[in-house]
Amino acid sequence: MKFFNIEFKGYLKDIDALPKNDLAKKYNRLENSNDINEIMKQIYIYAIPLGILFITFTYYVELDIICFFLILFSSLIMMPVHELLHAIAMPCKSKKYIYFFSQGMLATTTDIISRRRYIFMSMLPNIVLGIIPIILYFVAVNANCKISPGILCFGVLEICYGIGDYWNVLKALNVTSGKCQLFNSGVNTFYIGKKSDCEQLKIIIAFISLIITVAIGTSYFLTENVIFLYLLLVSFVVFYMIENQLSIIMRYSIVIFIIAIRILL
């Protein structure tokens, strides 16, 4: 079945059946694994803190249990839409494929795309399904309109669901320079162009995240609002995804900070 040059391929029994690009023999691979199970394992590690944050968030907004499970069910239903948005964001003339597999779904193309397009393609579903519902919720609240907090929680869950997309974007930013082009071959992504030396960028992001962490911690002490305590987990995820020694020290400092607050309380 084809829709805007998108082919729905159905269930993917063998990961080696994913379409490949012959250019993969010539260019460098991003720092990801040939094993889809290993990739999903890394994503799950990143997703755990966000999952804790989501559950805590639903408790904070006093979401009833029925609405909670309806949101989880809605998120599962929106999974094909998430992947469809990935495919739509790919170049119009590209051949795009959507697969189901045992651990979820994926959209891919073997055509070459710019780094900017790659980042946009990765982030579009999280903007449409995550950020926009959150913005609409706060607009409605400020306009004194009745709106269910379930809309807010759905947006938060969709943002958490996009953890694999953020992982891809971070890898692209860490490895490639602005003028690079990228393409998929099988389960891997390859890039054309010079490798980026972005150690300084990692350090800058780590320091910015540290400042945000301090701001969140200060907000907790000033307001005694427990949600700020759990927002620290976001910074933890950021540090976990930045691979340098500075972030290793910082990420464990955050854990110690959280434990210390719990002991004090």
Side-chain angles (χ1 to χ4, degrees):
M1 177 182 177
K2 290 186 177 181
F3 173 75
F4 285 101
N5 217 24
I6 301 170
E7 187 173 352
F8 297 86
K9 302 289 286 187
Y11 184 74
L12 181 65
K13 296 181 180 179
D14 185 359
I15 204 68
D16 290 332
L18 282 172
K20 295 178 175 61
N21 189 323
D22 292 336
L23 291 174
K25 300 175 183 178
K26 184 178 178 181
Y27 293 102
N28 295 319
R29 178 169 59 92
L30 284 181
E31 298 171 4
N32 50 9
S33 173
N34 287 307
D35 184 1
I36 189 66
N37 293 319
E38 184 64 27
I39 293 174
M40 295 304 297
K41 187 187 299 183
Q42 291 293 325
I43 292 174
Y44 291 151
I45 291 173
Y46 301 148
I48 289 172
L50 289 179
I52 296 172
L53 174 63
F54 171 71
I55 294 172
T56 306
F57 189 79
T58 58
Y59 176 79
Y60 172 73
V61 299
E62 299 180 348
L63 191 71
D64 63 78
I65 190 68
I66 295 176
C67 192
F68 175 80
F69 282 107
L70 281 175
I71 290 171
L72 292 181
F73 181 68
S74 299
S75 184
L76 288 175
I77 293 176
M78 296 304 289
M79 190 182 295
V81 177
H82 182 105
E83 298 304 325
L84 182 62
L85 288 169
H86 278 313
I88 290 174
M90 296 173 189
C92 296
K93 296 181 180 180
S94 297
K95 292 183 179 179
K96 294 155 274 191
Y97 310 95
I98 296 179
Y99 295 87
F100 291 92
F101 64 106
S102 59
Q103 294 169 309
M105 293 184 66
L106 63 85
T108 186
T109 180
T110 58
D111 288 358
I112 297 171
I113 59 177
S114 67
R115 189 178 79 153
R116 183 178 298 177
R117 188 66 172 261
Y118 180 85
I119 293 172
F120 171 72
M121 176 269 297
S122 298
M123 294 302 297
L124 180 62
N126 307 295
I127 294 171
V128 173
L129 301 177
I131 294 176
I132 290 179
I134 292 174
I135 292 174
L136 290 176
Y137 173 83
F138 284 110
V139 168
V141 169
N142 290 332
N144 295 320
C145 298
K146 289 185 178 180
I147 185 170
S148 170
I151 301 296
L152 176 63
C153 293
F154 174 79
V156 172
L157 180 59
E158 286 298 317
I159 289 176
C160 294
Y161 175 74
I163 186 67
D165 301 325
Y166 314 141
W167 189 74
N168 288 334
V169 169
L170 189 65
K171 289 295 182 183
L173 290 174
N174 280 349
V175 176
T176 64
S177 60
K179 296 182 179 181
C180 278
Q181 295 176 306
L182 299 101
F183 64 90
N184 292 326
S185 181
V187 74
N188 290 300
T189 302
F190 296 79
Y191 64 96
I192 302 171
K194 294 182 179 179
K195 185 174 182 179
S196 174
D197 182 13
C198 61
E199 192 65 24
Q200 290 183 345
L201 176 62
K202 293 179 182 179
I203 294 173
I204 290 171
I205 294 175
F207 272 121
I208 291 174
S209 300
L210 179 62
I211 293 170
I212 293 173
T213 302
V214 172
I216 292 173
T218 304
S219 298
Y220 170 76
F221 285 116
L222 292 176
T223 64
E224 296 185 355
N225 191 331
V226 72
I227 193 63
F228 286 113
L229 194 61
Y230 289 93
L231 283 174
L232 292 174
L233 291 170
V234 176
S235 297
F236 177 79
V237 171
V238 172
F239 291 140
Y240 199 96
M241 296 176 75
I242 302 172
E243 299 172 355
N244 60 24
Q245 294 300 317
L246 178 64
S247 69
I248 292 173
I249 296 171
M250 288 183 174
R251 77 178 69 149
Y252 288 109
S253 297
I254 292 174
V255 175
I256 294 170
F257 179 61
I258 295 174
I259 294 172
I261 290 177
R262 278 300 187 191
I263 293 173
L264 291 174
L265 294 176

